Amino acid sequence: MDMKKQVLSAVLAAAFVLPIAGCGTGGKSTGETTTLRVAVFDRGNAPDGMSATENIWTNWINEQFGKPNNIKVEFQGIPRNQEVEKINMMMASRNAPDILLTYDKSVFFNYAKNGGLADLTELVGGTENLKDFMGDRWKYTTYNDKIYGVPTKVISEGQYCSYIRKDWLDKLGLEVPKTTEELYTALKAFKEKDPGNVGDGLVPFLLSATSFSEEYWQQNTLSLVMSFVEPMSEEEWYTIPQIQYPGFKEGVRYLNKLYREGILEQDFALQTNWNQFDENIAAGRAGFYTHNRNYQLTSNGAYAMLLQNDPNAELVAVDPYVNKYGKRPKWRGATGGGYIMIPSFSENIEAAVKYLDWMANNDVGFTLLNGNEDEHYKLENGYPVVIDTEYNNKTKFNNADLALIYNGFDYGSFENNVEAMRIAMPGLGELRADSMIKANSDLYNNPMDDFDQPIESYIKDKAKLDKKFQELMIKSITASESDFDSIYDGLAKEYMTIGGDEVTEERKAVYKKCSEADILPKDNPLINY
Amino acid sequence: MNKNKIKRSLGERTFTVVNTTLIILVCFTCLFPFIYELAISFSSGAAVMSGKVSLYPIGFQTEAYKKVFQNISMWRSLVFTIVLTVVYTLLSLTLTILCAYPLSRKRLYGGKWIMMLITVTMYFHAGTIPTYLLVYNLGLIDKVWALILPCVLNTFNMIMMRTFFKSVPAELEEAAMIDGCNDFQVLWNVMLPVSKPILATIALFYAVQRWNSFADALYYINEPKLYPLQLKLQQIIQQGQADNMMSDINSQLDVVVPKTVQAASIIFATVPILLVYPKLQKYFVKGAMIGAVKG
């Protein structure tokens, strides 16, 4: 019987031992060459036979940069939408590539603060191209006077642009609106005369509650509301939350008026993603909207679908929100662009900086972004024009991601960059170039972006404050005329007690420090200097 | 009217009508997502984007399917996922049997304690990052084994199988032992032949679990060749949702996958399991019953 018991145990033991046979650490062969591991976004758009990590251009990089420097560049794909999860996982296990990219500012500052990132101050100082290439952008990746990462170079910083149905205006015999009042007249006419014969679904002014985020991501409303904000003192701008800015409430009141008159999207509060918004554009039910510059202006975006549904439709970029002082203030957007990080435990910190430095060479950047002349593009007035989009999608599908430090190519001046945009894309180029011009007037920053350190209390309470901000916007816009003040003031007060006050206090202290160190920009159209 | 038929009261008939209507409605709610995706996958992009499509295609096209079928990486993923599912299921089933059988016998010394230790893992998990660290330190990152070993034995499935084994009369076993069988022979010649329903059920549980999960692949796999179908699908769908962070300038380019192609991909990934499922469905029902009967 004892024997029997042993066999029975053996059966059980087999269940536990068998899986271990599958494990086994594959030893890494280390030769003379350094292996540099670089993360690249995998957007799942690789054509057959190639992948985001192995294609013509990763080979090209190894040929151009790798060979001469005796470095093997190995790419590691990161699914674009799981970037943060994956980075956290790899950082925690100290198994991250030598170069990582995130667009999430808090991820960057978190790791910088906790010692997860290499201090690059000295290495960057010694680079040939990279240091000057970024110019004053280094402030975006500086924490406690040390450089902990490499920003990306954003060419067009203006975030928002407005679009209106030109064909509707033409039918009504109206000009393209240049002021808030003219816009109101146009929208009112859209509502009353329905020039597109839309009927019930007509939405003169599109809005989705998705856009209400406290940290300046208010695609649909921020430009309008900010045109009501009165210029203030520098201290006010940098310390109080935006809902307390003089005039902010008037801006929201204006939205409330549009809502009550049926001009504003009536169902906006129910929308938690952009589906309905896009649908209204594509189906030709929308007269006007403000959103990210170039929003849905791609070859299969909502605008292209609108043109398929109605070939006579025409959207034009407009810039109607103007304040009393003739300014058209606009948000500069996420100023740092992406954040390129090198983990502190990386064994190839120097090689990593060298790689980025190599990339900062203009010729390298130009070729990497545009491909080869006469194969991928031909030059027109010195600007590249795509020859065949299909061909490019097959042969250089992720070059923009490989060109880590570039967020668009700089042709030397804003005008040149606009021109390049106009030429690059037949069809939509004109509208995109126009959007770029309109989005870049009178720019201002998110005040907290100008500080050289993150606001801890804000990071802590961000989710809570965000929610309260949303509630304030939605309830105020949908309020009746008589209730508006009490609702807005009540929620603004709640906002302050659940964390707004604490944030203000901390911002005051940080502002004082930054002001004394003289690091704040002096070109904000909303500050009385 | 047939005279032999029992005449049903008004109440009964009303009940049948109401009941049938309700059941049809419930069925429709379950079917609707499939019908919707199917309709979208055959509609024109403009119609889909304008929100006109719901039950049937508008602006019929088959371009989306052409795109999916021509995508070799989709086929590669499909084949890989099928192989993965089969290997995983066989391995899991074997280990589950090897674990459940001894634990179902009172003769096993310390069986209660072992059982308790195993049950603990059902309620307490190590957490994502420690698990990742373990997998990493075992050298499994970017290996097929990372998709098999961490979840190779499901405690719940094991307990269900153990419960079933327990319900097999001990006399059967004793008879075999008197004839000279050892434990392996008893398991192979006596237990398994009478346990076919539970084997089928558990196999199906494992197979469906493997087919549908993508989180482990997301964490442990960086090599696109080893992407299971669900991860591939997830990537396509997420890519379709335009990134609103403009600072990611690349997301403004034409990398967004049209909704029609997304829908076609969903159908592509769903059909294989849909084909298998109805044939095995009866075991699912049985499996639920087995779990409910205390041994």
Side-chain angles (χ1 to χ4, degrees):
Chain A
M1 209 54 186
D2 261 349
M3 187 62 193
K4 289 272 158 67
K5 217 173 237 176
Q6 273 172 16
V7 178
L8 198 61
S9 312
V11 176
L12 181 62
F16 295 113
V17 176
L18 279 186
I20 295 171
C23 307
T25 343
K28 265 187 195 161
S29 61
T30 45
E32 291 290 303
T33 42
T34 315
T35 303
L36 183 69
R37 288 164 67 217
V38 179
V40 59
F41 284 142
D42 187 347
R43 297 174 194 268
N45 62 332
D48 297 332
M50 283 191 245
S51 68
T53 55
E54 262 172 64
N55 55 57
I56 302 169
W57 294 95
T58 58
N59 293 341
W60 184 82
I61 288 171
N62 270 303
E63 198 66 35
Q64 299 285 321
F65 169 76
K67 266 198 185 155
N69 294 299
N70 209 13
I71 293 173
K72 184 171 178 278
V73 187
E74 220 178 74
F75 291 90
Q76 184 172 332
I78 293 187
R80 173 66 187 93
N81 291 282
Q82 278 78 35
E83 140 214 358
V84 174
E85 282 169 55
K86 191 113 187 184
I87 287 175
N88 286 340
M89 189 93 72
M90 293 188 301
M91 288 295 281
S93 64
R94 303 176 74 82
N95 174 35
D98 300 305
I99 298 179
L100 289 162
L101 170 68
T102 180
Y103 280 95
D104 195 322
K105 190 178 164 189
S106 61
V107 169
F108 170 76
F109 275 106
N110 225 339
Y111 283 118
K113 198 178 113 197
N114 296 322
L117 303 180
D119 175 2
L120 307 177
T121 321
E122 263 177 48
L123 282 173
V124 164
T127 54
E128 202 177 319
N129 307 311
L130 190 61
K131 187 173 181 291
D132 299 332
F133 177 78
M134 289 297 170
D136 65 349
R137 300 187 67 80
W138 289 109
K139 66 181 177 202
Y140 299 127
T141 51
T142 300
Y143 176 70
N144 275 348
D145 296 331
K146 283 181 184 144
I147 295 174
Y148 281 106
V150 179
T152 55
K153 193 165 182 180
V154 183
I155 299 312
S156 168
E157 298 181 318
Q159 177 80 15
Y160 298 135
C161 186
S162 305
Y163 299 91
I164 197 164
R165 282 289 291 269
K166 174 86 167 23
D167 53 321
W168 289 9
L169 291 173
D170 289 346
K171 258 192 199 164
L172 296 168
L174 291 167
E175 290 282 307
V176 173
K178 288 187 192 67
T179 64
T180 319
E181 272 136 58
E182 285 175 26
L183 175 68
Y184 177 76
T185 316
L187 295 179
K188 193 94 184 154
F190 285 177
K191 167 88 186 153
E192 280 158 9
K193 300 190 181 130
D194 188 8
N197 291 323
V198 180
D200 279 344
L202 175 73
V203 188
F205 187 137
L206 270 188
L207 170 65
S208 161
T210 319
S211 68
F212 296 142
S213 151
E214 149 72 19
E215 202 180 9
Y216 288 71
W217 291 103
Q218 299 154 44
Q219 291 93 338
N220 306 153
T221 52
L222 189 68
S223 305
L224 185 150
V225 175
M226 278 297 178
S227 74
F228 283 82
V229 166
E230 288 283 325
M232 61 199 93
S233 76
E234 193 184 59
E235 180 168 1
E236 275 180 303
W237 170 260
Y238 281 109
T239 55
I240 60 179
Q242 51 181 333
I243 49 167
Q244 304 279 15
Y245 283 162
F248 196 92
K249 185 171 154 190
E250 295 318 304
V252 180
R253 195 194 301 277
Y254 191 77
L255 285 168
N256 172 271
K257 178 182 160 207
L258 295 180
Y259 182 80
R260 282 185 286 108
E261 292 178 9
I263 289 171
L264 206 60
E265 164 75 278
Q266 298 291 299
D267 295 334
F268 77 94
L270 303 174
Q271 298 173 18
T272 51
N273 60 41
W274 296 107
N275 290 347
Q276 186 67 35
F277 193 93
D278 299 346
E279 244 177 66
N280 281 329
I281 300 174
R285 292 189 291 257
F288 170 86
Y289 63 90
T290 308
H291 208 297
N292 290 334
R293 174 171 69 86
N294 293 348
Y295 181 73
Q296 293 288 352
L297 298 185
T298 58
S299 64
N300 54 25
Y303 182 42
M305 296 303 135
L306 168 65
L307 291 178
Q308 272 185 34
N309 284 329
D310 177 3
N312 296 321
E314 189 189 359
L315 279 180
V316 288
V318 280
D319 187 17
Y321 308 129
V322 58
N323 69 13
K324 275 188 247 170
Y325 310 91
K327 293 267 197 240
R328 298 163 191 270
K330 297 223 180 51
W331 185 40
R332 185 170 263 130
T335 34
Y339 298 83
I340 300 166
M341 310 186 284
I342 302 176
S344 53
F345 52 78
S346 160
E347 283 163 13
N348 303 312
I349 298 174
E350 262 173 68
V353 174
K354 198 170 186 178
Y355 177 60
L356 297 173
D357 188 29
W358 166 77
M359 198 177 276
N361 179 309
N362 252 358
D363 292 337
V364 171
F366 187 84
T367 310
L368 199 50
L369 285 170
N370 297 306
N372 299 322
E373 192 170 356
D374 294 328
E375 184 191 351
H376 300 104
Y377 68 91
K378 56 183 187 335
L379 283 179
E380 206 168 284
N381 302 332
Y383 302 111
V385 185
V386 172
I387 299 173
D388 180 0
T389 317
E390 278 292 304
Y391 178 78
N392 282 12
N393 285 345
K394 277 182 187 142
T395 50
K396 55 180 280 289
F397 61 99
N398 77 334
N399 286 36
D401 284 321
L402 290 172
L404 276 174
I405 56 173
Y406 293 88
N407 209 321
F409 188 79
D410 191 355
Y411 290 93
S413 70
F414 181 74
E415 288 72 27
N416 291 354
N417 292 337
V418 169
E419 200 48 35
M421 174 80 95
R422 193 185 306 278
I423 287 175
M425 213 178 161
L428 290 167
E430 198 69 37
L431 186 50
R432 291 174 78 126
D434 212 21
S435 308
M436 188 160 157
I437 297 171
K438 299 237 156 60
N440 279 288
S441 68
D442 301 328
L443 294 181
Y444 62 87
N445 292 348
N446 174 350
M448 283 183 275
D449 277 349
D450 286 339
F451 295 152
D452 62 348
Q453 66 189 79
I455 304 294
E456 304 288 345
S457 56
Y458 179 69
I459 292 173
K460 187 182 78 180
D461 288 335
K462 200 172 161 199
K464 209 164 53 175
L465 292 173
D466 215 47
K467 230 171 163 187
K468 189 53 77 182
F469 178 81
Q470 277 192 25
E471 189 187 341
L472 178 140
M473 290 299 276
I474 291 174
K475 288 198 173 153
S476 305
I477 293 174
T478 54
S480 68
E481 194 176 5
S482 54
D483 288 344
F484 178 84
D485 282 288
S486 62
I487 287 178
Y488 188 97
D489 295 342
L491 286 165
K493 210 174 151 196
E494 276 177 39
Y495 178 95
M496 295 311 280
T497 42
I498 63 163
D501 280 327
E502 201 187 333
V503 174
T504 304
E505 283 311 306
E506 194 182 336
R507 279 170 72 168
K508 270 186 185 153
V510 175
Y511 165 69
K512 212 171 152 217
K513 224 185 89 198
C514 294
S515 174
E516 278 160 14
D518 200 22
I519 57 161
L520 300 169
K522 296 288 175 205
D523 59 353
N524 190 327
L526 290 166
I527 295 178
N528 289 319
Y529 290 104
Chain B
M1 198 185 228
N2 194 337
K3 272 182 189 171
N4 294 330
K5 204 168 181 184
I6 300 165
K7 206 178 174 192
R8 289 194 285 176
S9 69
L10 181 70
E12 273 177 320
R13 271 178 289 161
T14 324
F15 175 76
T16 314
V17 170
V18 172
N19 208 9
T20 315
T21 322
L22 273 178
I23 289 173
I24 289 175
L25 272 178
V26 171
C27 287
F28 180 75
T29 337
C30 295
L31 272 178
F32 180 70
F34 292 101
I35 299 171
Y36 180 65
E37 291 298 336
L38 207 58
I40 285 189
S41 67
F42 282 113
S43 299
S44 75
V48 173
M49 197 109 190
S50 326
K52 286 178 193 153
V53 181
S54 55
L55 283 176
Y56 49 89
I58 291 173
F60 187 84
Q61 53 80 27
T62 51
E63 279 304 306
Y65 281 99
K66 264 186 208 152
K67 271 208 173 122
V68 174
F69 287 139
Q70 279 168 1
N71 187 343
I72 294 172
S73 68
M74 282 298 270
W75 288 105
R76 204 190 289 130
S77 265
L78 178 70
V79 172
F80 171 69
T81 312
I82 291 173
V83 173
L84 176 69
T85 306
V86 171
V87 172
Y88 169 79
T89 308
L90 288 178
L91 212 56
S92 291
L93 199 59
T94 313
L95 292 176
T96 309
I97 293 167
L98 290 180
C99 186
Y101 173 59
L103 287 172
S104 71
R105 300 297 107 180
K106 291 209 173 78
R107 303 179 278 123
L108 182 71
Y109 183 73
K112 260 189 189 168
W113 284 98
I114 297 173
M115 191 59 210
M116 212 175 79
L117 289 176
I118 292 178
T119 316
V120 166
T121 65
M122 212 165 91
Y123 298 101
F124 300 98
H125 295 274
T128 320
I129 289 178
T131 312
Y132 177 85
L133 283 174
L134 177 69
V135 172
Y136 170 63
N137 286 323
L138 288 173
L140 294 179
I141 298 292
D142 271 343
K143 302 242 164 62
V144 183
W145 291 110
L147 301 178
I148 296 179
L149 294 185
C151 47
V152 77
L153 195 129
N154 181 307
T155 318
F156 180 76
N157 290 352
M158 195 281 289
I159 291 176
M160 258 176 45
M161 194 176 273
R162 172 177 166 270
T163 312
F164 188 91
F165 284 156
K166 269 192 166 176
S167 69
V168 176
E171 289 77 9
L172 266 180
E173 205 187 37
E174 277 164 18
M177 282 185 168
I178 288 165
D179 287 345
C181 283
N182 67 20
D183 278 309
F184 277 109
Q185 287 165 325
V186 172
L187 176 62
W188 185 255
N189 295 321
V190 179
M191 294 306 274
L192 293 188
V194 299
S195 310
K196 277 181 188 154
I198 188 75
L199 296 182
T201 309
I202 301 289
L204 197 59
F205 280 178
Y206 276 125
V208 171
Q209 179 195 331
R210 183 60 267 166
W211 187 273
N212 283 339
S213 65
F214 74 92
D216 53 349
L218 172 68
Y219 296 147
Y220 308 142
I221 303 294
N222 304 313
E223 179 57 55
K225 275 179 199 150
L226 296 180
Y227 280 177
L229 202 52
Q230 298 299 331
L231 182 62
K232 189 104 189 124
L233 192 62
Q234 200 254 3
Q235 217 180 24
I236 291 173
I237 307 299
Q238 293 261 319
Q239 211 50 64
Q241 292 160 356
D243 200 321
N244 289 306
M245 298 275 279
M246 197 205 67
S247 50
D248 180 3
I249 196 168
N250 306 325
S251 68
Q252 296 173 48
L253 308 176
D254 284 340
V255 293
V256 174
V257 182
K259 281 189 178 153
T260 50
V261 178
Q262 284 180 39
S265 309
I266 291 175
I267 300 294
F268 180 85
T270 317
V271 163
I273 205 86
L274 273 186
L275 290 179
V276 182
Y277 197 85
K279 285 179 189 149
L280 297 172
Q281 196 203 18
K282 56 179 177 185
Y283 293 116
F284 255 118
V285 180
K286 258 190 202 155
M289 299 271 288
I290 291 161
V293 181
K294 196 172 177 291

